[in-house]
């Protein structure tokens, strides 16, 4: 297996689970939000504030399309599915796993939506973002794992078990 990409909403645990998955498999770990920050020389929220949501999504896709790696667990931002070229690039690198979390669980986890670097349009709620993105996550995922059905270790085991079948 070349690479594994974890997709899902902000707060779904992509980075946390990704680090554990990488350690378990002996893979590297890449958070594409850090790639964007390095390319742009600023924090995600500052970039969003400067350029706006649509331009940010284009910058994100550019950064993701620049990623070339091997034996790496990749954790992109939750908005990766908003630009087809970005998510298709990740799909070409290896299987994509969607960490599905109910919106009410995400609402309990996310308390800093306006400063966390989440791409959303003025007036949108977390529920609005969830409703828009969920069908896209399902469309692009090779595997769907419920990320709220137990401990982090149980979710890791579910992802590993699902990957065996890919």
């Amino acid at each position: 297996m070349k690479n594994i990409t974890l997709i899902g909403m902000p707060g779904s645990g992509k980075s946390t689970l990704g680090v554990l998955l990488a350690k378990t498999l002996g893979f590297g770990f890449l958070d594409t939000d850090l790639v964007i920050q390095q390319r742009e020389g600023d924090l995600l929220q500052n970039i969003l504030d400067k350029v706006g949501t649509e331009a940010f999504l284009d910058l994100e896709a550019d950064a993701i399309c620049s990623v070339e790696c091997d034996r790496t667990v990749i954790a992109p931002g939750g908005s990766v599915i908003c630009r087809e070229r970005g998510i298709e690039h990740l799909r070409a690198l290896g299987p994509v796993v969607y960490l599905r979390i109910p919106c009410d669980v995400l609402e309990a986890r996310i308390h800093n939506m306006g400063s966390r670097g989440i791409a959303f349009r003025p007036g949108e709620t977390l529920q609005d973002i969830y409703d828009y993105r969920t069908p896209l996550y399902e469309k692009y995922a090779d595997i769907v794992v419920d990320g709220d059905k137990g401990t982090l270790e149980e979710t890791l085991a579910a992802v590993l078990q699902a990957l065996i079948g890919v």
Side-chain angles (χ1 to χ4, degrees):
M1 190 173 314
K2 188 172 179 187
N3 300 290
I4 301 162
T5 297
L6 301 177
I7 62 171
M9 285 288 291
S12 63
K14 298 179 298 289
S15 294
T16 304
L17 184 70
V19 169
L20 288 176
L21 182 60
K23 284 182 180 181
T24 300
L25 296 172
F27 278 26
F29 176 76
L30 176 65
D31 182 329
T32 64
D33 286 348
L34 299 177
V35 174
I36 297 165
Q37 289 183 170
Q38 288 172 342
R39 284 174 60 113
E40 298 302 314
D42 208 344
L43 300 175
L44 283 184
Q45 188 61 53
N46 294 342
I47 299 165
L48 268 162
D49 292 343
K50 280 188 224 173
V51 304
T53 301
E54 292 304 314
F56 174 83
L57 294 173
D58 292 335
L59 290 173
E60 178 182 45
D62 291 344
I64 287 168
C65 287
S66 76
V67 169
E68 292 298 332
C69 53
D70 188 44
R71 296 178 47 85
T72 301
V73 176
I74 304 165
S79 54
V80 64
I81 43 74
C82 296
R83 293 291 185 266
E84 188 172 17
R85 65 190 167 98
I87 188 63
E88 288 295 350
H89 178 74
L90 293 175
R91 290 182 80 201
L93 296 178
V96 173
V97 179
Y98 168 35
L99 298 177
R100 180 171 51 199
I101 306 281
C103 192
D104 61 322
V105 174
L106 296 171
E107 286 175 345
R109 290 182 183 180
I110 298 174
H111 303 288
N112 56 343
M113 210 167 117
S115 61
R116 186 177 165 147
I118 298 172
F120 64 97
R121 290 161 189 83
E124 279 188 317
T125 66
L126 188 60
Q127 185 69 56
D128 295 331
I129 299 166
Y130 185 88
D131 292 343
Y132 171 74
R133 292 182 182 178
T134 296
L136 295 171
Y137 293 133
E138 292 171 356
K139 173 184 176 181
Y140 291 116
D142 297 302
I143 299 166
V144 178
V145 173
D146 288 319
D148 70 323
K149 300 296 184 200
T151 66
L152 190 56
E153 290 76 17
E154 289 168 329
T155 302
L156 175 63
V159 169
L160 289 167
Q161 183 62 41
L163 286 167
I164 290 170
V166 171

